[in-house]
Amino acid sequence: MTLAMTAIVEGLASQIAPLWVEVCFLLCFLLGFALLRIDLLAKKAPKKARKVVEEPPAASRAVDAKLLQAVEAEARPEVVLAAWKAGRKGAPSPPELFKPVVQALLELQPNSLVQEVVSHVRQHPAQLCHARTAVMALDVLARAGSIKLMEDMHEAFRRDLGVHPTLQTYEVLLGGYATAGDEKRVKLVVAELATCRYRLSPRGLCLMIKGFLKNGMADQVLEQFRAMSDLGFQVPPFAVTQLFRIACDAGRGEQIFEEVMDLAPMPSDAIAAILEDCCKRGNFRLAKRVEEVAREKGVALVTASYDALLKLNAVNGDQHAIELFREVQAIARVSEGLCVGLLARCAESHFLRFAEEIVQFERARGGMSIAVYSALMKVYAYCGMYGKACDLYDRILEDGLQPDAMMYGCLMKFAVECGRTSLSHRLSEIAPSLDIQNYMSLIRAAGRDKDMERAFAVLNKLKASSFQVDAAAYNCVLDVCVSAGEMERAKGLLQEMRVDSHVDIVTYNTLLKGYCNLGDINAAKALMAEMVREGFRPNDVSYNCVLNVAATSGNFRDAWATISMMEQDGVKVDNYTISIMMKGLKRSNNPRDVQRVLALLDRSGIPVCSDEILANTVLETCIRHKELRRIEAIVAEHKASALRPSVHTYGSLIKACSTLQRLDECWNYWREMHEVRGIEPNEIVLGCMLDALVCNQAVDQAVALLEQWKTRVKPNSIMYSTVIKGFANTGQAERAMSTWREMRSIGITLNTVVYNSVIDAQARVGAMDGVSELVATMSEDGVVPDAITHSTIAKGYCMKGDLDKAFEVFRDMQRNKVTHDSIVYNTILDGCTRHSRFDLADELLADMEKLKITPSNYTLGIMVKMYGRRRQLDKAFEIVDSAQARFGFSANTQVLTCLMGACLNNNALDKAFRVFKEVKRVNRGADGKAFGSMVGGCVRRGELQKAVELVEEAYGLSTGPGLFKLTPGQFIAPENLEKLFQALADQGQAESVAIPLLDKLRAVKVTVSSRLYSALINASPSSGRRGSAARSEHRGGHRRKAS
């Protein structure tokens, strides 16, 4: 046995021997741990003893159990309070149970609350008389907003119980005062905290933020945000979101956003809150800024953010909407409601491109419904594309859908608008039901066809229906009678309306329109007098009807009298009044009429871009009469306005920018229309763009554009004539002939305008063989030459210097009695002046006077040039000064510029300056050509200082009374500037005058030849180091410009 035990022990020892070091280390570690932690072991025993000593008796435990049961059961305050009162003497209420007791006291016994709490604490001082109890009680009162009780409780603990406030106490007080919105008390507590050497904690700051947020005190919340940021604490995301909400409600979203941006992280919900407010207020600029910041900071956009951004981008026609729409598809399900809402906003902004993107998405997922089709129809209708709206009907049927009553009504209306009256009638027969608006659409369709009998048939059908026929329906039929010119039938219907008491102001205005359409002003005025007798005071529509007749007939005297009557009757001039007067100016070339109508526009205070029709008519008037400054102002106003251009307006804007010689902006509008908003140009807009390119010396671009679009927009003779005009302007007679041959080959109808354009291209280069071929072909095509044709042929002979032949053409015209105006006289008179055939010129002038041919301003300009060449300057002045008395019009800017040039050519510089002063004073002021002529004249006379002053005035480099700055797009010809700088260099003024002037011109972006700059530097006396530096800077500037 002993041996066996010995063997076992030895075996174990042999096994353990290799591990003895590890075993020793383990024993040492356990011993050391026991020694180090012996203090804890010593403390545990007394604590255990205390626990045993402090254990309440059985009776107390029973009472606490009842209180606990009441609290856990969420019993009524009465039950909780009764349980507490029953057991409060036996034992202190534990904190988790004392809080509901304080809440019950607050609700049931607020007046004795402080006394009850203090009494209970005094009964159990060892367990309850400490800051934790105070904080718990104060927290209940602070959260309930019982600030007076909170203050009393705080004072009782401090004064009566001797419990000193801790950091937690102050935190509760801060939250309570903030919840009450008492900023002053909050600041006092913060100051007391600092006195006690406490540091504001994140919890205290958050409690203040919550309280101020509850009271909508954004500025105070911001102050706490800054405090948290300064102390290195992170602002809680919920606070940022809530702050944005109250700031947006107060209209301070943008201000608060900018201030918070660098103070706190932007949670996704906060971004959504401010974007939703941007959508509500239409603040697109701020929305773009918020999106930019969110993306920079890596904040994920939630669905609500995408909704707001999509709606804002759609209603503002911004192409970014397409990118956002594709993004949102990847993160969320796009609802049909969102798509319909976006389509509605596309309609407002004429954003056809985005609308098609949405519809493509819906088609791809098979979601095309009646609601989506209705919204798409609205887009087409708002874009004026009523035909495309009607085309959707067949697509709806193909998709197996059935239009509802509302869609049938819309389709009927759109069919009338695009002239598809048969479709309107067909739809009325298959619609499930017709309302009164549908009947009125059918009446309007009959009116469009001028089918009065059908209109009355629809009216009778309406009478037989269950609907009550109102004045609006009768007025629709009355309008059909008026449109057809059947005033007697209209009067008969009026009598019927009187019997049924359906006559209103619209009735009289419709009749008034009928008389005005017939030009019967006397009947119109009599009807207005009848209106007054019947108790209907004429309104703006009434006066505008009468005004339209006078203005469109060119009778401005009656037009102004009508406007005076309007103003005397207290009827305000509206946008239709202005539009009518603007259209009337088409029949007047009198500058006084133009200025008076423009003054009426200014006096009315109506923003030009408040209405699309008004914007178009004002722009067209200003373009026709070269009102460059107004055109510039209107284009700028349009860019800043919310007006979304239709196809027609894009054409007007392109023409306006072309007039201002801003070809880049013409292209911008073209691309915005087609590429951004997806609106297809029509023949008119394409023609406007072609004309803009031709007028700005970009003929090859015009040819390329016509080639690109002629398969999508049917080309017409006007487009080709515009391109031919470009060839004529650039002396490309053969290309003009090639285009004419192409037109004939593809079957485009040729008219006099086309032939005159091609003849003009040949005449300008003296290619009279081509002219003969064209004249011969005109009769084959059934085109009759007019006065312009003969005048252009005469111009061709004038260009060749064959004035005798030109006179033969002129005499033929006289014999054929086609010399009704001054056009042909101007052509030959200009040729005579160019070739110094003053004898023939005198003969022509005598003919004009004898035949009472009224000259134009163009005629006047030629005469001034002629007298200038003949050294008869006094006679030139006499012609200009007597123009108003002799011819009924005043000399325009071009004539005065010619007179100024005549003065310069006759070395009468002082007289030239007097005329130049007059040129600046007239409506459109001096142009680049006038300034260039004056600069050139001064250089020739050696008046270099005056020439420099003119250049500085032209480009706004000097200011003062009487000075005039060129309008944008106008410039002094480079050759005039080069002659001035060369003269300055020759006079030794390169360094002192020329180079400083050149630097000023470059500073205002005036194009200056690098060769000229180098020549001036080399001509400078100190062209060493300074010249080298200047040349280096100039080359650097050119490199920067090139890059």
Side-chain angles (χ1 to χ4, degrees):
M1 179 72 176
T2 305
L3 290 172
M5 289 296 292
T6 303
I8 290 171
V9 170
E10 288 177 353
L12 287 171
S14 64
Q15 293 294 323
I16 295 172
L19 302 173
W20 70 272
V21 176
E22 287 82 352
V23 172
C24 290
F25 177 77
L26 178 61
L27 291 171
C28 291
F29 174 77
L30 291 172
L31 181 61
F33 180 79
L35 290 171
L36 288 170
R37 306 304 289 171
I38 196 166
D39 59 329
L40 290 177
L41 295 172
K43 288 180 181 177
K44 283 184 179 179
K47 189 172 182 181
K48 199 170 194 179
R50 263 199 317 272
K51 194 170 183 181
V52 173
V53 171
E54 292 177 2
E55 181 133 357
S60 235
R61 287 198 300 272
V63 173
D64 289 343
K66 288 182 179 179
L67 178 60
L68 177 62
Q69 184 180 2
V71 170
E72 287 181 344
E74 298 182 359
R76 298 193 310 276
E78 297 89 340
V79 177
V80 172
L81 198 55
W84 174 71
K85 286 183 177 181
R88 63 182 174 180
K89 291 182 181 179
S93 301
E96 66 272 12
L97 299 181
F98 196 34
K99 186 174 182 178
V101 171
V102 175
Q103 289 172 336
L105 284 167
L106 177 62
E107 186 171 340
L108 300 173
Q109 299 177 14
N111 294 334
S112 61
L113 185 150
V114 176
Q115 182 182 350
E116 294 279 4
V117 170
V118 171
S119 175
H120 188 57
V121 171
R122 280 178 173 162
Q123 286 176 354
H124 308 282
Q127 293 82 16
L128 298 177
C129 193
H130 48 68
R132 185 181 174 197
T133 306
V135 169
M136 180 275 300
L138 290 170
D139 186 60
V140 172
L141 299 173
R143 289 178 184 275
S146 300
I147 303 304
K148 181 67 170 63
L149 286 174
M150 182 187 75
E151 290 175 336
D152 293 345
M153 183 72 75
H154 174 57
E155 196 60 31
F157 267 95
R158 173 188 266 180
R159 186 186 65 243
D160 300 339
L161 299 174
V163 177
H164 295 291
T166 62
L167 177 60
Q168 289 74 25
T169 308
Y170 285 117
E171 288 173 349
V172 173
L173 291 173
L174 287 170
Y177 285 129
T179 302
D182 194 337
E183 183 186 5
K184 183 178 179 181
R185 293 293 184 90
V186 168
K187 289 183 176 179
L188 289 174
V189 175
V190 170
E192 189 175 337
L193 262 173
T195 305
C196 297
R197 298 177 182 268
Y198 283 125
R199 182 187 180 196
L200 270 172
S201 65
R203 181 173 180 271
L205 289 163
C206 285
L207 287 171
M208 284 191 284
I209 288 170
K210 282 183 180 179
F212 287 137
L213 283 171
K214 183 178 178 182
N215 289 279
M217 301 168 70
D219 292 322
Q220 289 73 15
V221 174
L222 265 179
E223 189 177 338
Q224 305 315 313
F225 277 17
R226 294 190 192 98
M228 291 194 82
S229 179
D230 293 342
L231 291 169
F233 303 138
Q234 183 172 323
V235 177
F238 85 89
V240 179
T241 303
Q242 188 60 24
L243 174 61
F244 280 178
R245 287 191 178 125
I246 65 172
C248 290
D249 289 342
R252 298 177 60 195
E254 183 168 5
Q255 175 203 342
I256 299 299
F257 173 77
E258 295 294 342
E259 294 197 39
V260 172
M261 191 170 57
D262 297 324
L263 291 176
M266 295 282 183
S268 296
D269 288 342
I271 294 295
I274 199 160
L275 284 174
E276 287 172 344
D277 185 68
C278 289
C279 185
K280 175 183 173 183
R281 298 177 185 276
N283 193 341
F284 185 42
R285 178 186 54 79
L286 177 58
K288 289 194 291 185
R289 168 83 173 131
V290 172
E291 183 191 359
E292 179 186 351
V293 170
R295 293 187 186 277
E296 283 177 1
K297 294 182 178 292
V299 181
L301 297 177
V302 296
T303 306
S305 298
Y306 276 109
D307 280 6
L309 285 170
L310 280 166
K311 289 170 182 175
L312 278 167
N313 279 273
V315 81
N316 284 278
D318 196 302
Q319 201 168 12
H320 182 50
I322 298 173
E323 299 170 27
L324 289 168
F325 190 65
R326 290 170 182 170
E327 279 182 29
V328 78
Q329 291 172 41
I331 67 165
R333 183 184 179 280
V334 180
S335 68
E336 181 188 278
L338 175 61
C339 290
V340 171
L342 292 175
L343 285 170
R345 286 167 173 81
C346 289
E348 293 176 35
S349 60
H350 301 176
F351 196 2
L352 193 57
R353 173 76 68 203
F354 186 33
E356 290 172 345
E357 177 83 13
I358 296 167
V359 171
Q360 183 181 351
F361 165 76
E362 285 288 6
R363 286 195 193 284
R365 70 174 184 179
M368 289 301 290
S369 63
I370 288 296
V372 176
Y373 271 117
S374 290
L376 181 58
M377 278 185 186
K378 183 179 178 182
V379 175
Y380 286 139
Y382 272 54
C383 292
M385 304 166 72
Y386 298 106
K388 293 200 76 169
C390 292
D391 292 340
L392 289 176
Y393 176 61
D394 293 332
R395 192 67 182 265
I396 291 169
L397 297 180
E398 288 173 11
D399 288 349
L401 299 172
Q402 187 64 38
D404 56 19
M406 181 176 289
M407 180 176 280
Y408 272 117
C410 290
L411 282 167
M412 289 167 63
K413 180 180 177 183
F414 300 154
V416 173
E417 292 290 342
C418 66
R420 293 164 68 170
T421 53
S422 58
L423 174 62
S424 177
H425 184 68
R426 180 159 59 93
L427 290 170
S428 70
E429 293 178 342
I430 59 177
S433 62
L434 295 178
D435 60 19
I436 195 163
Q437 294 299 325
N438 301 147
Y439 281 107
M440 289 169 67
S441 291
L442 291 172
I443 293 170
R444 291 190 185 101
R448 196 174 184 97
D449 294 338
K450 298 191 183 302
D451 190 341
M452 193 168 53
E453 297 305 326
R454 179 151 54 101
F456 274 95
V458 175
L459 178 62
N460 291 331
K461 187 177 179 182
L462 176 59
K463 289 177 181 179
S465 71
S466 60
F467 294 109
Q468 181 69 36
V469 183
D470 58 8
Y474 275 109
N475 287 333
C476 274
V477 180
L478 190 67
D479 188 62
V480 175
C481 299
V482 163
S483 300
E486 294 287 343
M487 294 305 295
E488 291 303 319
R489 192 75 179 268
K491 289 177 184 178
L493 182 60
L494 177 62
Q495 294 305 318
E496 181 183 338
M497 293 171 70
R498 280 180 173 149
V499 171
D500 295 334
S501 300
H502 286 313
V503 176
D504 58 12
I505 185 68
V506 177
T507 308
Y508 278 106
N509 284 338
T510 304
L511 281 172
L512 198 61
K513 183 177 76 171
Y515 287 123
C516 291
N517 288 344
L518 296 173
D520 193 344
I521 295 294
N522 292 330
K525 289 180 178 179
L527 184 63
M528 286 183 74
E530 182 184 332
M531 288 172 64
V532 175
R533 287 195 302 272
E534 293 292 328
F536 295 102
R537 184 181 176 188
N539 58 12
D540 53 342
V541 177
S542 314
Y543 282 110
N544 286 336
C545 282
V546 177
L547 179 67
N548 187 53
V549 178
T552 52
S553 64
N555 188 347
F556 275 88
R557 183 175 179 179
D558 282 357
W560 288 115
T562 304
I563 291 175
S564 296
M565 288 173 61
M566 283 181 72
E567 293 176 336
Q568 288 170 9
D569 288 351
V571 179
K572 286 186 176 181
V573 168
D574 62 6
N575 50 349
Y576 292 104
T577 311
I578 303 295
S579 297
I580 290 167
M581 293 300 288
M582 291 289 173
K583 290 177 182 177
L585 289 175
K586 291 180 180 179
R587 294 180 172 270
S588 174
N589 290 318
N590 191 328
R592 287 186 177 180
D593 289 334
V594 177
Q595 293 312 307
R596 193 173 178 187
V597 173
L598 291 174
L600 176 66
L601 169 64
D602 295 337
R603 193 170 73 246
S604 71
I606 300 172
V608 172
C609 293
S610 62
D611 175 77
E612 195 167 24
I613 295 174
L614 177 63
N616 283 321
T617 53
V618 175
L619 264 179
E620 288 169 7
T621 299
C622 292
I623 290 167
R624 189 181 307 110
H625 295 281
K626 304 295 182 185
E627 292 285 338
L628 300 183
R629 293 189 185 278
R630 281 190 182 269
I631 295 171
E632 183 185 12
I634 295 168
V635 170
E637 182 183 335
H638 175 267
K639 288 178 180 177
S641 75
L643 188 66
R644 299 296 163 205
S646 63
V647 179
H648 181 71
T649 305
Y650 272 115
S652 297
L653 289 167
I654 289 170
K655 283 165 66 177
C657 292
S658 171
T659 304
L660 295 173
Q661 298 181 346
R662 297 178 182 176
L663 189 56
D664 288 345
E665 290 191 31
C666 295
W667 276 119
N668 288 342
Y669 279 119
W670 175 266
R671 294 187 185 102
E672 178 189 309
M673 173 188 65
H674 171 59
E675 296 175 11
V676 176
R677 297 181 56 206
I679 299 175
E680 290 286 305
N682 57 18
E683 297 90 345
I684 296 172
V685 180
L686 179 56
C688 289
M689 190 64 209
L690 292 171
D691 187 67
L693 293 167
V694 166
C695 292
N696 287 274
Q697 294 78 49
V699 184
D700 290 337
Q701 291 182 42
V703 173
L705 186 68
L706 179 59
E707 188 66 27
Q708 176 188 351
W709 280 91
K710 67 183 183 182
T711 56
R712 298 163 68 177
V713 178
K714 187 178 180 180
N716 54 35
S717 58
I718 296 174
M719 298 179 197
Y720 278 102
S721 296
T722 301
V723 174
I724 291 170
K725 182 178 73 173
F727 292 143
N729 293 340
T730 53
Q732 301 183 67
E734 188 51 47
R735 291 185 74 181
M737 288 292 281
S738 298
T739 303
W740 167 67
R741 293 187 180 101
E742 178 187 341
M743 291 175 71
R744 295 192 79 205
S745 67
I746 62 178
I748 291 181
T749 303
L750 302 179
N751 54 25
T752 310
V753 175
V754 176
Y755 269 104
N756 288 344
S757 298
V758 189
I759 291 171
D760 183 51
Q762 310 307 307
R764 287 186 183 217
V765 296
M768 299 312 293
D769 292 339
V771 171
S772 299
E773 179 186 351
L774 289 164
V775 171
T777 313
M778 285 181 78
S779 59
E780 295 178 17
D781 292 340
V783 179
V784 180
D786 60 7
I788 296 176
T789 310
H790 294 292
S791 176
T792 308
I793 295 170
K795 181 171 73 175
Y797 287 119
C798 289
M799 293 299 294
K800 288 187 71 175
D802 193 346
L803 291 174
D804 293 331
K805 195 75 174 175
F807 252 82
E808 285 183 23
V809 174
F810 173 65
R811 295 305 180 196
D812 284 342
M813 292 176 68
Q814 284 185 318
R815 281 192 291 273
N816 294 326
K817 297 182 180 180
V818 291
T819 55
H820 304 301
D821 52 34
S822 62
I823 294 175
V824 69
Y825 287 93
N826 292 340
T827 300
I828 301 182
L829 190 61
D830 186 55
C832 293
T833 302
R834 287 174 183 274
H835 296 284
S836 300
R837 288 293 303 272
F838 302 128
D839 55 329
L840 293 178
D842 290 337
E843 186 179 336
L844 277 173
L845 291 174
D847 263 5
M848 289 182 72
E849 193 165 352
K850 177 182 175 183
L851 298 172
K852 296 183 180 179
I853 303 293
T854 304
S856 63
N857 260 304
Y858 189 73
T859 317
L860 212 57
I862 297 171
M863 293 169 69
V864 168
K865 289 179 186 177
M866 180 189 70
Y867 289 126
R869 290 193 177 193
R870 296 168 79 169
R871 304 293 176 185
Q872 297 176 345
L873 199 56
D874 291 341
K875 204 157 188 179
F877 271 95
E878 181 186 336
I879 286 290
V880 172
D881 292 340
S882 63
Q884 181 63 50
R886 291 181 61 188
F887 311 126
F889 61 86
S890 299
N892 62 12
T893 305
Q894 286 71 30
V895 174
L896 293 175
T897 302
C898 290
L899 181 60
M900 187 182 70
C903 294
L904 293 171
N905 291 332
N906 284 272
N907 296 321
L909 189 60
D910 291 341
K911 289 184 177 181
F913 266 104
R914 285 200 297 272
V915 177
F916 183 60
K917 189 175 181 180
E918 182 65 26
V919 171
K920 291 191 291 182
R921 202 164 38 233
V922 296
N923 181 44
R924 290 187 291 275
D927 57 11
K929 184 178 179 182
F931 270 101
S933 297
M934 288 301 298
V935 169
C938 290
V939 170
R940 287 196 300 273
R941 291 291 304 273
E943 297 285 353
L944 301 186
Q945 182 57 39
K946 289 184 177 180
V948 169
E949 290 171 359
L950 284 166
V951 173
E952 290 178 339
E953 178 182 354
Y955 291 108
L957 304 177
S958 58
T959 56
L963 297 183
F964 180 90
K965 184 181 177 181
L966 285 174
T967 57
Q970 290 288 320
F971 56 87
I972 298 174
E975 55 268 23
N976 289 323
L977 291 177
E978 289 182 10
K979 288 177 181 178
L980 169 60
F981 288 126
Q982 189 60 55
L984 289 169
D986 292 343
Q987 293 292 324
Q989 298 182 50
E991 185 174 8
S992 61
V993 180
I995 293 176
L997 177 60
L998 205 52
D999 289 337
K1000 289 179 185 177
L1001 291 174
R1002 291 175 62 211
V1004 294
K1005 311 299 183 187
V1006 177
T1007 304
V1008 177
S1009 163
S1010 57
R1011 176 182 55 79
L1012 174 61
Y1013 194 91
S1014 299
L1016 286 176
I1017 294 294
N1018 292 329
S1020 172
S1022 56
S1023 59
R1025 182 172 56 82
R1026 180 186 181 281
S1028 176
R1031 284 193 297 274
S1032 174
E1033 190 277 332
H1034 183 64
R1035 288 194 296 271
H1038 271 274
R1039 283 196 296 272
R1040 287 191 297 272
K1041 186 175 180 181
S1043 66

